[in-house]
Amino acid sequence: MTTLQKGIDMVTKATEEDKKKNYDEACRLYEHGVEYFLHAIKYEAQSDKAKESIRAKCVQYLERAEKLKKYLKDKQKKPIKDTEDGPTSKNSGNSSDSDDDPEKKKLTHQLEGAIVVEKPNIKWSDVAGLEGAKEALKEAVILPIKFPHLFTGKRKPWKGILLFGPPGTGKSFLAKAVATEANNSTFFSVSSSSLVSKWLGESEKLVKNLFEMGRQQKPSIIFIDEIDSLCSSRSDNESESARRIKTEFLVQMQGVGTDNDGILVLGATNIPWVLDAAIRRRFEKRIYIPLPEEMARTAIFKLNIGDTPNELNEDDFKTLGKETEGFSGADISVLVRDALMQPVRKVQTATHFRKVRGYSRTDPTVEVDDLLEPCSPGARGAIEMSWVEVPGDKLKEPKITMMDMKKSLLQAKPTVNEADLIKLKQFMDDFGQEG
């Protein structure tokens, strides 16, 4: 087992212990894992890109370890007194403030799955276009942490940002980028299932507890995907429990006696017009995430193809960007995935293969001349055989061509409805800003 693999195993165990709340053990494992990673960077052959990625992970794990150490240190500082039931904290008489309040403990445990411990590895550069949205998020998340002295007095960072737009345009993807880039922040990813309970009164307590956890672990970001499912317009014929959840949201986001310094509420929705007016007001920035423009579509094609062997040049990518008017980022992703399967289909349907030169599958540094690739029956050196007869390590992967892309493009259809686009544009004109 390589040192790198040992490091990966170590931090995987650390993450598991972290989730189980064995913070002492998690801290120790994080630090050991980082030692292995640093050893791998120094003594094992790695590409520059891999080294950079490992270093970024090291910083992330060390920051988590420091956070846990600080938490454990603060916990030890709490005054303890013994009672008949065992050690309790000084405030245990007040059940609402106590860490030992069983009901609060249960609610906190329910919400712990919402905390994103393992950061998704998505950077700002992975998001094509959407410069306005990225700038607003940096302004709300990154700058206040890096330059806190900029945000004093009357200049305060944004407390609520709503991302709205057609499905598949990158709203949740932007949230993943925020989770990755905001290294020092606690990121809560919340869905309606995390906050809705069958027990009377428990749903609003979960909402309150979520914001309390955010205040305890600030700076923190609370991301609510598909927020319309929780905060639609209040009406006379809705259930009492749904109304109470909305009321609690309103109070926690901006009510009397609530201090939300260091907390950003990030919401995403495809149907912003159904949101309650009071909730809409609490999202100070409402950013429209539109369908990608031609340049952004070209960039999305490049990002999705990545390092897959291909014969596409810059003009081909521009042509694809031009021919996919009305496609969302998700539509392009599906189109590219279909095109990436074309070489596999060529292998499956081929009746003849020919020997070609290429790098060995077992050792990429060695060139061999007995690899097999599918070809037409009339090609020079064609051997009649099916893919079943090709040895597993002797198949040379056919490259993606523009023909493959066009074949997939003929079958692809955009998923965004014109009527919804009109409604979204109207909402943007009335309440939002361009992203």
Side-chain angles (χ1 to χ4, degrees):
M1 189 188 282
T2 63
T3 313
L4 182 61
Q5 191 55 49
K6 281 180 187 171
I8 292 166
D9 291 347
M10 198 69 81
V11 294
T12 305
K13 282 180 194 164
T15 309
E16 285 167 10
E17 294 300 326
D18 200 341
K19 282 179 183 169
K20 289 179 192 168
K21 291 191 174 179
N22 301 333
Y23 296 138
D24 269 324
E25 182 63 8
C27 209
R28 188 184 70 78
L29 289 167
Y30 277 131
E31 286 174 342
H32 277 309
V34 168
E35 281 171 23
Y36 279 121
F37 282 145
L38 294 174
H39 188 279
I41 289 173
K42 201 169 183 182
Y43 300 109
E44 288 180 9
Q46 309 282 348
S47 68
D48 288 343
K49 199 173 180 183
K51 282 181 182 175
E52 195 182 310
S53 175
I54 294 167
R55 280 195 197 99
K57 284 285 178 193
C58 286
V59 171
Q60 187 184 314
Y61 293 129
L62 284 173
E63 278 173 356
R64 183 62 187 162
E66 284 305 313
K67 219 172 200 180
L68 294 179
K69 274 185 192 170
K70 188 173 180 293
Y71 171 77
L72 293 166
K73 202 175 177 184
D74 291 348
K75 206 174 177 187
Q76 284 169 358
K77 281 183 188 172
K78 278 187 184 176
I80 302 291
K81 63 174 185 178
D82 285 325
T83 64
E84 287 175 21
D85 300 327
T88 57
S89 70
K90 202 172 180 181
N91 303 336
S92 59
N94 182 352
S95 63
S96 64
D97 293 344
S98 167
D99 289 338
D100 296 327
D101 178 358
E103 191 184 357
K104 191 168 182 184
K105 245 183 179 176
K106 181 186 142 200
L107 295 172
T108 305
H109 183 68
Q110 274 177 259
L111 287 166
E112 279 195 328
I115 300 175
V116 177
V117 178
E118 190 71 30
K119 305 285 185 202
N121 192 22
I122 293 166
K123 298 183 172 58
W124 295 122
S125 55
D126 296 331
V127 182
L130 304 179
E131 295 308 320
K134 285 193 272 191
E135 288 309 312
L137 289 167
K138 285 176 193 172
E139 208 174 272
V141 181
I142 314 296
L143 288 174
I145 295 168
K146 194 165 186 184
F147 307 113
H149 59 278
L150 279 177
F151 297 89
T152 50
K154 295 290 181 189
R155 189 189 292 130
K156 290 186 175 3
W158 304 111
K159 299 283 176 60
I161 296 179
L162 177 70
L163 305 174
F164 68 94
T169 49
K171 297 180 291 296
S172 303
F173 200 68
L174 268 171
K176 287 179 185 176
V178 172
T180 306
E181 296 283 354
N183 283 330
N184 302 328
S185 296
T186 311
F187 192 88
F188 295 83
S189 181
V190 184
S191 65
S192 54
S193 63
S194 312
L195 299 174
V196 176
S197 167
K198 65 179 178 180
W199 304 111
L200 183 67
E202 195 169 278
S203 295
E204 52 267 38
K205 283 181 186 170
L206 280 165
V207 174
K208 185 180 180 184
N209 225 53
L210 170 68
F211 279 84
E212 278 182 9
M213 284 170 76
R215 289 181 196 110
Q216 284 164 13
Q217 302 185 44
K218 65 184 181 184
S220 57
I221 299 150
I222 297 172
F223 173 59
I224 307 161
D225 206 356
E226 308 300 345
I227 193 167
D228 49 89
S229 63
L230 283 169
C231 300
S232 56
S233 293
R234 287 169 289 180
S235 61
D236 296 335
N237 57 0
E238 71 180 343
S239 71
E240 184 61 29
S241 59
R243 182 180 281 268
R244 284 206 303 267
I245 291 175
K246 289 167 199 171
T247 306
E248 191 59 44
F249 253 112
L250 293 168
V251 172
Q252 291 300 327
M253 278 182 80
Q254 210 177 66
V256 175
T258 55
D259 170 31
N260 281 355
D261 280 347
I263 296 179
L264 167 71
V265 181
L266 193 58
T269 178
N270 307 326
I271 43 174
W273 53 87
V274 305
L275 288 179
D276 190 81
I279 287 282
R280 188 176 66 225
R281 182 189 68 73
R282 279 160 173 78
F283 284 108
E284 303 152 320
K285 287 282 242 188
R286 296 172 289 275
I287 303 170
Y288 180 43
I289 309 296
L291 288 173
E293 295 167 353
E294 192 179 312
M295 278 177 68
R297 291 197 298 271
T298 302
I300 293 168
F301 271 107
K302 287 180 185 172
L303 286 168
N304 277 289
I305 287 175
D307 54 4
T308 309
N310 66 81
E311 293 177 358
L312 301 173
N313 57 36
E314 194 61 38
D315 287 340
D316 290 336
F317 282 116
K318 282 180 181 171
T319 304
L320 289 167
K322 200 174 282 181
E323 289 181 8
T324 46
E325 180 72 43
F327 279 63
S328 68
D331 296 337
I332 294 171
S333 174
V334 171
L335 190 158
V336 172
R337 276 174 63 196
D338 186 73
L340 295 182
M341 292 304 289
Q342 297 290 4
V344 179
R345 291 171 194 142
K346 278 180 199 167
V347 170
Q348 273 185 307
T349 56
T351 55
H352 290 71
F353 286 78
R354 65 177 172 191
K355 287 191 177 180
V356 288
R357 192 167 180 76
Y359 289 103
S360 167
R361 306 298 305 164
T362 48
D363 185 356
T365 56
V366 177
E367 250 192 304
V368 291
D369 52 13
D370 61 346
L371 296 181
L372 293 162
E373 72 172 7
C375 65
S376 62
R380 194 176 171 187
I383 307 162
E384 191 175 342
M385 63 196 303
S386 74
W387 65 272
V388 181
E389 298 163 70
V390 177
D393 59 343
K394 293 297 176 189
L395 177 70
K396 188 180 182 190
E397 176 189 348
K399 290 184 177 180
I400 307 289
T401 64
M402 188 59 174
M403 191 63 75
D404 295 332
M405 298 301 295
K406 291 212 163 173
K407 205 181 281 184
S408 294
L409 183 56
L410 283 171
Q411 299 166 353
K413 296 276 187 298
T415 55
V416 180
N417 187 336
E418 191 63 42
D420 284 348
L421 280 177
I422 293 165
K423 280 188 183 176
L424 286 161
K425 193 81 175 69
Q426 184 61 50
F427 185 89
M428 198 270 291
D429 292 341
D430 292 345
F431 307 110
Q433 68 174 74
E434 279 279 7

